Amino acid sequence: MGIHSARKLKDNSKNNNKNQNNQNKQNNTKQSHLSGIVKEKIALVVKPPHYGRKFCVKVELKASGKEIIAFVPCDGGLNIIDIGDLVLLERKKMNDIPNCNYRCITCNGIGIKHFIEKPFRASVHV
Protein backbone atom coordinates (compact mmCIF):
# COMPACT_ATOMS: atom_id res chain seq x y z
CA MET A 1 0.00 0.00 0.00
CA GLY A 2 1.15 3.51 -0.79
CA ILE A 3 1.56 6.58 1.36
CA HIS A 4 -1.83 8.06 0.40
CA SER A 5 -3.95 4.92 0.83
CA ALA A 6 -5.43 5.64 4.28
CA ARG A 7 -8.89 6.50 2.94
CA LYS A 8 -9.12 3.27 0.96
CA LEU A 9 -8.04 1.18 3.96
CA LYS A 10 -10.56 2.96 6.19
CA ASP A 11 -13.44 2.39 3.73
CA ASN A 12 -12.53 -1.28 3.29
CA SER A 13 -12.52 -1.90 7.05
CA LYS A 14 -15.95 -0.21 7.40
CA ASN A 15 -17.42 -2.39 4.64
CA ASN A 16 -15.97 -5.56 6.17
CA ASN A 17 -17.48 -4.76 9.58
CA LYS A 18 -20.91 -4.11 8.02
CA ASN A 19 -20.80 -7.42 6.15
CA GLN A 20 -19.85 -9.36 9.30
CA ASN A 21 -22.69 -7.77 11.30
CA ASN A 22 -25.23 -8.57 8.56
CA GLN A 23 -24.08 -12.20 8.40
CA ASN A 24 -24.43 -12.59 12.19
CA LYS A 25 -28.01 -11.24 12.07
CA GLN A 26 -28.95 -13.51 9.17
CA ASN A 27 -27.58 -16.63 10.89
CA ASN A 28 -30.08 -16.28 13.75
CA THR A 29 -33.06 -16.64 11.41
CA LYS A 30 -31.50 -19.42 9.27
CA GLN A 31 -31.74 -22.00 12.07
CA SER A 32 -34.13 -24.92 11.65
CA HIS A 33 -35.76 -24.50 15.09
CA LEU A 34 -36.24 -21.29 17.08
CA SER A 35 -37.97 -20.39 20.32
CA GLY A 36 -39.72 -17.22 21.32
CA ILE A 37 -42.57 -15.57 23.20
CA VAL A 38 -45.99 -14.92 21.66
CA LYS A 39 -46.78 -11.21 21.33
CA GLU A 40 -50.00 -11.19 19.30
CA LYS A 41 -52.59 -13.45 17.65
CA ILE A 42 -53.50 -12.60 14.05
CA ALA A 43 -55.53 -13.99 11.15
CA LEU A 44 -53.95 -13.57 7.71
CA VAL A 45 -55.74 -13.64 4.38
CA VAL A 46 -54.51 -16.39 2.07
CA LYS A 47 -53.36 -15.78 -1.50
CA PRO A 48 -55.49 -17.10 -4.40
CA PRO A 49 -56.50 -19.76 -5.50
CA HIS A 50 -57.08 -20.65 -1.80
CA TYR A 51 -59.47 -18.34 0.01
CA GLY A 52 -60.16 -17.74 3.67
CA ARG A 53 -58.05 -16.95 6.69
CA LYS A 54 -55.27 -18.83 8.40
CA PHE A 55 -54.46 -18.21 12.03
CA CYS A 56 -50.97 -17.12 12.95
CA VAL A 57 -49.07 -15.60 15.85
CA LYS A 58 -46.44 -12.88 16.06
CA VAL A 59 -43.45 -14.18 18.00
CA GLU A 60 -40.48 -12.30 19.43
CA LEU A 61 -37.40 -14.51 19.11
CA LYS A 62 -35.24 -15.14 22.16
CA ALA A 63 -31.96 -15.16 20.24
CA SER A 64 -32.19 -11.95 18.22
CA GLY A 65 -35.27 -10.10 19.51
CA LYS A 66 -36.82 -9.96 16.02
CA GLU A 67 -40.56 -10.30 15.52
CA ILE A 68 -41.67 -12.94 13.03
CA ILE A 69 -44.98 -14.49 11.95
CA ALA A 70 -45.61 -18.20 12.58
CA PHE A 71 -48.48 -20.40 11.40
CA VAL A 72 -50.53 -22.29 14.01
CA PRO A 73 -51.59 -25.77 12.78
CA CYS A 74 -54.66 -27.82 13.80
CA ASP A 75 -58.25 -26.76 14.41
CA GLY A 76 -58.44 -24.86 17.69
CA GLY A 77 -54.67 -24.48 17.84
CA LEU A 78 -55.01 -20.76 18.44
CA ASN A 79 -57.23 -21.42 21.48
CA ILE A 80 -54.36 -23.31 23.11
CA ILE A 81 -51.79 -20.53 22.68
CA ASP A 82 -52.04 -17.41 24.85
CA ILE A 83 -50.09 -14.17 24.71
CA GLY A 84 -46.85 -14.53 26.66
CA ASP A 85 -46.49 -18.29 26.09
CA LEU A 86 -43.18 -19.85 25.12
CA VAL A 87 -43.39 -21.54 21.69
CA LEU A 88 -40.96 -23.60 19.63
CA LEU A 89 -40.94 -22.87 15.91
CA GLU A 90 -39.95 -25.02 12.95
CA ARG A 91 -38.77 -23.55 9.65
CA LYS A 92 -41.55 -24.40 7.18
CA LYS A 93 -42.39 -22.21 4.19
CA MET A 94 -46.13 -21.61 3.88
CA ASN A 95 -46.57 -20.79 0.19
CA ASP A 96 -50.11 -19.46 0.41
CA ILE A 97 -49.44 -17.16 3.41
CA PRO A 98 -47.23 -14.15 2.63
CA ASN A 99 -44.24 -13.48 4.93
CA CYS A 100 -44.85 -16.64 6.96
CA ASN A 101 -41.81 -18.94 7.05
CA TYR A 102 -42.32 -20.74 10.39
CA ARG A 103 -44.81 -23.12 12.01
CA CYS A 104 -45.50 -23.60 15.74
CA ILE A 105 -44.61 -27.04 17.08
CA THR A 106 -44.92 -26.76 20.85
CA CYS A 107 -46.46 -24.42 23.40
CA ASN A 108 -44.85 -24.42 26.87
CA GLY A 109 -43.05 -27.68 26.06
CA ILE A 110 -46.07 -29.74 24.91
CA GLY A 111 -46.85 -30.42 21.25
CA ILE A 112 -49.86 -28.56 19.85
CA LYS A 113 -51.25 -31.75 18.28
CA HIS A 114 -51.10 -33.62 21.63
CA PHE A 115 -52.75 -31.05 23.92
CA ILE A 116 -55.21 -32.34 26.53
CA GLU A 117 -54.96 -29.54 29.07
CA LYS A 118 -52.75 -26.50 29.23
CA PRO A 119 -49.93 -26.58 31.81
CA PHE A 120 -48.93 -23.39 33.57
CA ARG A 121 -45.48 -21.88 33.36
CA ALA A 122 -43.86 -21.61 36.79
CA SER A 123 -42.09 -18.35 35.94
CA VAL A 124 -45.40 -16.63 35.08
CA HIS A 125 -47.34 -17.67 38.21
CA VAL A 126 -44.74 -16.69 40.84
Side-chain angles (χ1 to χ4, degrees):
M1 290 284 163
I3 298 172
H4 303 293
S5 63
R7 179 180 291 167
K8 184 175 180 182
L9 290 171
K10 189 170 124 182
D11 290 342
N12 287 345
S13 67
K14 276 185 185 178
N15 291 337
N16 289 339
N17 288 338
K18 286 180 187 176
N19 291 338
Q20 288 174 355
N21 290 338
N22 289 338
Q23 287 174 358
N24 290 339
K25 288 178 185 176
Q26 288 173 358
N27 288 340
N28 286 337
T29 55
K30 297 277 182 169
Q31 299 171 356
S32 63
H33 289 74
L34 296 168
S35 64
I37 297 174
V38 176
K39 292 294 179 188
E40 182 182 353
K41 297 179 182 182
I42 52 176
L44 294 177
V45 179
V46 185
K47 292 194 295 190
H50 310 287
Y51 293 100
R53 294 187 208 167
K54 292 212 176 175
F55 295 106
C56 302
V57 288
K58 266 193 183 176
V59 179
E60 184 178 344
L61 298 179
K62 276 185 164 182
S64 61
K66 288 184 178 180
E67 280 196 1
I68 60 170
I69 297 172
F71 172 69
V72 180
C74 301
D75 291 334
L78 202 64
N79 297 334
I80 295 165
I81 298 174
D82 291 329
I83 295 173
D85 283 347
L86 183 69
V87 292
L88 181 69
L89 307 174
E90 171 187 45
R91 189 165 183 82
K92 172 89 172 165
K93 179 75 173 153
M94 304 298 294
N95 291 328
D96 55 348
I97 306 173
N99 301 325
C100 184
N101 296 329
Y102 293 92
R103 182 174 67 179
C104 291
I105 302 173
T106 64
C107 176
N108 292 340
I110 296 179
I112 291 178
K113 294 182 179 180
H114 308 291
F115 252 97
I116 298 170
E117 61 182 49
K118 185 175 173 116
F120 70 92
R121 260 178 56 204
S123 61
V124 174
H125 298 284
V126 173

